[in-house]
Amino acid sequence: MTSGPGLVAALLGGLLLGLATPPAPLPLTEWLVVPALAVWFALATGGRRPLLSSYLYGCVHMAWFSWSVRHVLLPAYLAIVLVGGLYYLLATACVRGAPRRWAPLSFAVAVAGSFWLRAMMPEIHYPHGQPCHCLYEWPALMRTVAVGGEPLLNALLALCGATAHGVWSSWRVAVPAWRVATRVCVASWLLLGCAAAAGFVVSALAARPSLPAEDVEPIRVTAIEPGYHPDEMFALPRQAWGRWYEQTLRERLLAPTRAPLAASPPPDLVLWPESSLADRLSVAAMDAGDAQLLAGRLPAADARLLVGATALAADQRSTPAAVLLDLPSGDVVGYQLKQQLVPGGEFLPLLGVLPDGLTASLRDAFQAALGSLPDCAPGGVRPPLRTAAGVSFGALLCYDNAFPGPAAAQVAQGAELLVVLSNEAWYRGGAELDQLVAMTVVRACENAVPIVRCTQDGRSVAVRASGELASGLAVAPAPRSESRNLQVSLDRGAGKLPPLAWLRQLCGPLSAFLTALGAAHAALWRVRLRTTRTASAARS
């Protein structure tokens, strides 16, 4: 076990990074991300069991920002913490395999690569809690993601942390030389500023060209946040569920929607969050134009309603869906499907690789916790939807918001606005609510497109194409007795991806490859060193 300052530094560093991760508890607490990364760099380059210290550091960070997951299933929370710590260990192994003079640069690459791997790992993807998310309320710096996505900003923050540690080390023990350390530190911050400026230029190049005023009218969106929680229904006898659902639909969704529709002018688009409706619609029926929802239950208006429902494929597997309705007929005029499913919540991960005994235990645990086994099917990329006025927009279902692919695919097809329909009730007001907002800011900056989030009881917000939070509803305790409305008017995006979109797609895989390569080199070097020592001892 690690002893002395190694253990203390690991615990302190993980706690600092946790405090910086959204929601930062105090003003400017988000900037603790830099000293937190400096501590990680010190652990990675130190001589006192760096791998174990880095693993403990990672476990502390994962335990802090994932705490709300315990509400669903405590073993799943523990697995997130224990497996998540391995990615921090991997990054440290990469740094150990690089030449000492390249340690800050290798640390930057390793941080970018390890977080990208955690976010994209098949079946156990977990993109929360990345260093760049800490600065989501600083859109000027977040513009960096328009150039290289989350991996580039993660790398630059890690480089700033590593060079800041160099200045600290120089002040304490005069290694490296003071002038060298300060120059390298200043250069890393200048590099971060230059990347943010480049992101601003890239976003400006994607801006809508000059058009007649009638073609660039802002789009008006109303998001209904009903504020109910599934526990309300599950607390009732099963025979009362239908009555509860109908009453909730009438009081917290239909009634709050009528007022905005009666306004002059009405919104172009009204949003209901994921899991608003219990209806299950056949994909074949929607494709054929034979599907309806809420027929006659809302007044006629020059607006369309986007609701969270469930789509059923031919094999009867379900997929969360965003369904677009004409009013008052309720005709389904378009739909989009969830592409990124939640591990454990919508499918059981790793069943194909785990031993049979462990698989059976996993099924039993989720059956007991959720009441049924999750078995959703991911959807594919579909064309953008359109408002009644013809404005093109894309819909992201909850976890789609956490990944760059679904948002970029919609904008590449001409979406001028993105909306997120999300059900975050099961977090019960945890830190993940702010982390998902941070990811929304990243998606807006990456694609230079405005985004509106509509949630059950999370954070419903509107984000401009620049990454600034235009407006939003404060987190309120759930369940609530009444719903809330977020009404916003946003300038539309250009309906095209910014330049250098290919670079964002390259940065993550490239940094992950270099991280794995560095870790493999460190492992090989360690094996050779042990072999040499064993042979030397034998000769002696």
PDB file of all heavy atoms in Angstrom, residues 418-434:
ATOM      1  N   LEU A 418     -30.346  22.070 -32.183  1.00  0.00           N
ATOM      2  CA  LEU A 418     -30.414  20.754 -31.554  1.00  0.00           C
ATOM      3  C   LEU A 418     -31.256  20.860 -30.290  1.00  0.00           C
ATOM      4  O   LEU A 418     -31.201  21.876 -29.584  1.00  0.00           O
ATOM      5  CB  LEU A 418     -29.018  20.234 -31.195  1.00  0.00           C
ATOM      6  CG  LEU A 418     -28.062  19.932 -32.356  1.00  0.00           C
ATOM      7  CD1 LEU A 418     -26.701  19.517 -31.827  1.00  0.00           C
ATOM      8  CD2 LEU A 418     -28.631  18.872 -33.278  1.00  0.00           C
ATOM      9  N   VAL A 419     -32.033  19.823 -30.017  1.00  0.00           N
ATOM     10  CA  VAL A 419     -32.771  19.753 -28.764  1.00  0.00           C
ATOM     11  C   VAL A 419     -32.407  18.450 -28.079  1.00  0.00           C
ATOM     12  O   VAL A 419     -32.105  17.448 -28.733  1.00  0.00           O
ATOM     13  CB  VAL A 419     -34.296  19.851 -28.983  1.00  0.00           C
ATOM     14  CG1 VAL A 419     -34.647  21.164 -29.668  1.00  0.00           C
ATOM     15  CG2 VAL A 419     -34.824  18.680 -29.796  1.00  0.00           C
ATOM     16  N   VAL A 420     -32.419  18.471 -26.769  1.00  0.00           N
ATOM     17  CA  VAL A 420     -32.120  17.287 -25.956  1.00  0.00           C
ATOM     18  C   VAL A 420     -33.340  16.976 -25.110  1.00  0.00           C
ATOM     19  O   VAL A 420     -33.791  17.826 -24.326  1.00  0.00           O
ATOM     20  CB  VAL A 420     -30.898  17.520 -25.050  1.00  0.00           C
ATOM     21  CG1 VAL A 420     -30.620  16.275 -24.221  1.00  0.00           C
ATOM     22  CG2 VAL A 420     -29.673  17.900 -25.871  1.00  0.00           C
ATOM     23  N   LEU A 421     -33.900  15.788 -25.287  1.00  0.00           N
ATOM     24  CA  LEU A 421     -34.983  15.309 -24.433  1.00  0.00           C
ATOM     25  C   LEU A 421     -34.373  14.309 -23.457  1.00  0.00           C
ATOM     26  O   LEU A 421     -33.793  13.311 -23.876  1.00  0.00           O
ATOM     27  CB  LEU A 421     -36.085  14.627 -25.250  1.00  0.00           C
ATOM     28  CG  LEU A 421     -36.681  15.410 -26.419  1.00  0.00           C
ATOM     29  CD1 LEU A 421     -37.849  14.647 -27.019  1.00  0.00           C
ATOM     30  CD2 LEU A 421     -37.106  16.810 -26.009  1.00  0.00           C
ATOM     31  N   SER A 422     -34.496  14.587 -22.164  1.00  0.00           N
ATOM     32  CA  SER A 422     -33.766  13.773 -21.193  1.00  0.00           C
ATOM     33  C   SER A 422     -34.625  13.453 -19.980  1.00  0.00           C
ATOM     34  O   SER A 422     -35.479  14.247 -19.577  1.00  0.00           O
ATOM     35  CB  SER A 422     -32.497  14.513 -20.750  1.00  0.00           C
ATOM     36  OG  SER A 422     -31.681  13.700 -19.958  1.00  0.00           O
ATOM     37  N   ASN A 423     -34.394  12.273 -19.418  1.00  0.00           N
ATOM     38  CA  ASN A 423     -35.017  11.869 -18.160  1.00  0.00           C
ATOM     39  C   ASN A 423     -33.899  11.586 -17.169  1.00  0.00           C
ATOM     40  O   ASN A 423     -33.235  10.557 -17.250  1.00  0.00           O
ATOM     41  CB  ASN A 423     -35.886  10.632 -18.361  1.00  0.00           C
ATOM     42  CG  ASN A 423     -36.519  10.156 -17.061  1.00  0.00           C
ATOM     43  OD1 ASN A 423     -36.447  10.832 -16.045  1.00  0.00           O
ATOM     44  ND2 ASN A 423     -37.118   8.984 -17.091  1.00  0.00           N
ATOM     45  N   GLU A 424     -33.676  12.505 -16.256  1.00  0.00           N
ATOM     46  CA  GLU A 424     -32.596  12.374 -15.283  1.00  0.00           C
ATOM     47  C   GLU A 424     -33.133  12.205 -13.870  1.00  0.00           C
ATOM     48  O   GLU A 424     -32.424  12.427 -12.891  1.00  0.00           O
ATOM     49  CB  GLU A 424     -31.691  13.611 -15.377  1.00  0.00           C
ATOM     50  CG  GLU A 424     -31.004  13.716 -16.734  1.00  0.00           C
ATOM     51  CD  GLU A 424     -30.675  15.154 -17.126  1.00  0.00           C
ATOM     52  OE1 GLU A 424     -30.713  16.025 -16.243  1.00  0.00           O
ATOM     53  OE2 GLU A 424     -30.405  15.384 -18.307  1.00  0.00           O
ATOM     54  N   ALA A 425     -34.419  11.796 -13.773  1.00  0.00           N
ATOM     55  CA  ALA A 425     -35.056  11.707 -12.462  1.00  0.00           C
ATOM     56  C   ALA A 425     -34.339  10.720 -11.548  1.00  0.00           C
ATOM     57  O   ALA A 425     -34.313  10.900 -10.333  1.00  0.00           O
ATOM     58  CB  ALA A 425     -36.519  11.304 -12.632  1.00  0.00           C
ATOM     59  N   TRP A 426     -33.770   9.670 -12.123  1.00  0.00           N
ATOM     60  CA  TRP A 426     -33.169   8.634 -11.278  1.00  0.00           C
ATOM     61  C   TRP A 426     -31.882   9.102 -10.599  1.00  0.00           C
ATOM     62  O   TRP A 426     -31.420   8.474  -9.660  1.00  0.00           O
ATOM     63  CB  TRP A 426     -32.920   7.372 -12.097  1.00  0.00           C
ATOM     64  CG  TRP A 426     -32.038   7.539 -13.293  1.00  0.00           C
ATOM     65  CD1 TRP A 426     -32.360   8.137 -14.478  1.00  0.00           C
ATOM     66  CD2 TRP A 426     -30.696   7.094 -13.444  1.00  0.00           C
ATOM     67  NE1 TRP A 426     -31.297   8.093 -15.355  1.00  0.00           N
ATOM     68  CE2 TRP A 426     -30.263   7.453 -14.743  1.00  0.00           C
ATOM     69  CE3 TRP A 426     -29.811   6.410 -12.605  1.00  0.00           C
ATOM     70  CZ2 TRP A 426     -28.992   7.168 -15.220  1.00  0.00           C
ATOM     71  CZ3 TRP A 426     -28.536   6.131 -13.092  1.00  0.00           C
ATOM     72  CH2 TRP A 426     -28.146   6.504 -14.381  1.00  0.00           C
ATOM     73  N   TYR A 427     -31.287  10.247 -11.045  1.00  0.00           N
ATOM     74  CA  TYR A 427     -30.130  10.805 -10.328  1.00  0.00           C
ATOM     75  C   TYR A 427     -30.545  11.459  -9.011  1.00  0.00           C
ATOM     76  O   TYR A 427     -29.716  11.663  -8.126  1.00  0.00           O
ATOM     77  CB  TYR A 427     -29.430  11.863 -11.189  1.00  0.00           C
ATOM     78  CG  TYR A 427     -28.545  11.308 -12.264  1.00  0.00           C
ATOM     79  CD1 TYR A 427     -28.644  11.772 -13.567  1.00  0.00           C
ATOM     80  CD2 TYR A 427     -27.595  10.336 -11.988  1.00  0.00           C
ATOM     81  CE1 TYR A 427     -27.818  11.283 -14.573  1.00  0.00           C
ATOM     82  CE2 TYR A 427     -26.773   9.844 -12.978  1.00  0.00           C
ATOM     83  CZ  TYR A 427     -26.892  10.323 -14.270  1.00  0.00           C
ATOM     84  OH  TYR A 427     -26.074   9.843 -15.255  1.00  0.00           O
ATOM     85  N   ARG A 428     -31.820  11.847  -8.909  1.00  0.00           N
ATOM     86  CA  ARG A 428     -32.356  12.473  -7.700  1.00  0.00           C
ATOM     87  C   ARG A 428     -31.580  13.731  -7.306  1.00  0.00           C
ATOM     88  O   ARG A 428     -31.192  13.921  -6.161  1.00  0.00           O
ATOM     89  CB  ARG A 428     -32.403  11.483  -6.540  1.00  0.00           C
ATOM     90  CG  ARG A 428     -33.220  10.240  -6.868  1.00  0.00           C
ATOM     91  CD  ARG A 428     -33.349   9.303  -5.688  1.00  0.00           C
ATOM     92  NE  ARG A 428     -33.994   8.059  -6.086  1.00  0.00           N
ATOM     93  CZ  ARG A 428     -34.248   7.058  -5.271  1.00  0.00           C
ATOM     94  NH1 ARG A 428     -33.917   7.143  -4.003  1.00  0.00           N
ATOM     95  NH2 ARG A 428     -34.829   5.956  -5.708  1.00  0.00           N
ATOM     96  N   GLY A 429     -31.326  14.567  -8.322  1.00  0.00           N
ATOM     97  CA  GLY A 429     -30.702  15.853  -8.059  1.00  0.00           C
ATOM     98  C   GLY A 429     -29.209  15.819  -7.862  1.00  0.00           C
ATOM     99  O   GLY A 429     -28.646  16.734  -7.259  1.00  0.00           O
ATOM    100  N   GLY A 430     -28.502  14.835  -8.375  1.00  0.00           N
ATOM    101  CA  GLY A 430     -27.070  14.711  -8.154  1.00  0.00           C
ATOM    102  C   GLY A 430     -26.225  15.599  -9.055  1.00  0.00           C
ATOM    103  O   GLY A 430     -26.726  16.369  -9.878  1.00  0.00           O
ATOM    104  N   ALA A 431     -24.912  15.468  -8.897  1.00  0.00           N
ATOM    105  CA  ALA A 431     -23.974  16.291  -9.645  1.00  0.00           C
ATOM    106  C   ALA A 431     -24.035  16.024 -11.143  1.00  0.00           C
ATOM    107  O   ALA A 431     -23.649  16.873 -11.951  1.00  0.00           O
ATOM    108  CB  ALA A 431     -22.548  16.037  -9.140  1.00  0.00           C
ATOM    109  N   GLU A 432     -24.514  14.843 -11.537  1.00  0.00           N
ATOM    110  CA  GLU A 432     -24.569  14.508 -12.959  1.00  0.00           C
ATOM    111  C   GLU A 432     -25.442  15.472 -13.744  1.00  0.00           C
ATOM    112  O   GLU A 432     -25.266  15.638 -14.952  1.00  0.00           O
ATOM    113  CB  GLU A 432     -25.080  13.069 -13.152  1.00  0.00           C
ATOM    114  CG  GLU A 432     -24.074  11.996 -12.763  1.00  0.00           C
ATOM    115  CD  GLU A 432     -24.094  11.691 -11.283  1.00  0.00           C
ATOM    116  OE1 GLU A 432     -24.795  12.395 -10.525  1.00  0.00           O
ATOM    117  OE2 GLU A 432     -23.400  10.757 -10.862  1.00  0.00           O
ATOM    118  N   LEU A 433     -26.402  16.130 -13.087  1.00  0.00           N
ATOM    119  CA  LEU A 433     -27.259  17.085 -13.786  1.00  0.00           C
ATOM    120  C   LEU A 433     -26.417  18.208 -14.392  1.00  0.00           C
ATOM    121  O   LEU A 433     -26.617  18.605 -15.542  1.00  0.00           O
ATOM    122  CB  LEU A 433     -28.302  17.663 -12.828  1.00  0.00           C
ATOM    123  CG  LEU A 433     -29.197  16.660 -12.090  1.00  0.00           C
ATOM    124  CD1 LEU A 433     -30.230  17.401 -11.257  1.00  0.00           C
ATOM    125  CD2 LEU A 433     -29.875  15.714 -13.062  1.00  0.00           C
ATOM    126  N   ASP A 434     -25.487  18.744 -13.621  1.00  0.00           N
ATOM    127  CA  ASP A 434     -24.615  19.811 -14.128  1.00  0.00           C
ATOM    128  C   ASP A 434     -23.604  19.276 -15.129  1.00  0.00           C
ATOM    129  O   ASP A 434     -23.217  19.977 -16.070  1.00  0.00           O
ATOM    130  CB  ASP A 434     -23.899  20.487 -12.961  1.00  0.00           C
ATOM    131  CG  ASP A 434     -24.855  21.232 -12.056  1.00  0.00           C
ATOM    132  OD1 ASP A 434     -25.102  22.418 -12.299  1.00  0.00           O
ATOM    133  OD2 ASP A 434     -25.374  20.610 -11.115  1.00  0.00           O
TER     134      ASP A 434
END
